[in-house]
Amino acid sequence: MPDRLCLQGILYVLHQDVAWQLLPLELGFGSGQTCWRRLNRWQKAGFFEQLHRILLAELHASGKLDWTRACVDGSHVRAKKEDGQQTPPDL
């Protein structure tokens, strides 16, 4: 299955919020399992992180990003105490 069709299948599943096994074969994107495996492989290879960086760089270079409205979400990062030790995660 070509990468482009798998990417379209991945985007369809994510946008339509359907289970991978319910991806309609009639759309020509391959099976949900094929798309999921490709997504998993690309994620492990850092493809989406690299794509995100490239898009940000191109948008920034063309002046299409408004950095005055940017925010940083650190909710997944542990805060450090004043003595430099990390606080335990909330359970």
Side-chain angles (χ1 to χ4, degrees):
M1 181 63 52
D3 287 342
R4 185 181 184 119
L5 288 177
C6 278
L7 179 59
Q8 287 178 287
I10 291 165
L11 294 174
Y12 179 87
V13 166
L14 297 176
H15 185 264
Q16 297 297 323
D17 195 26
V18 298
W20 291 104
Q21 64 268 25
L22 298 180
L23 178 64
L25 290 173
E26 305 83 52
L27 296 176
F29 303 141
S31 71
Q33 186 175 16
T34 297
C35 291
W36 183 88
R37 274 191 245 148
R38 196 79 53 99
L39 172 65
N40 192 38
R41 185 172 14 148
W42 289 341
Q43 183 65 35
K44 287 180 180 178
F47 169 77
F48 293 104
E49 187 176 331
Q50 183 180 5
L51 177 62
H52 186 237
R53 285 190 191 132
I54 291 168
L55 288 172
L56 283 177
E58 288 187 15
L59 289 170
H60 179 67
S62 66
K64 294 182 179 178
L65 284 181
D66 180 6
W67 290 107
T68 63
R69 301 202 56 161
C71 66
V72 176
D73 176 14
S75 62
H76 64 284
V77 179
R78 292 185 191 174
K80 292 192 175 196
K81 294 181 180 179
E82 288 184 33
D83 62 1
Q85 294 181 351
Q86 290 185 343
T87 58
D90 294 331
L91 299 177

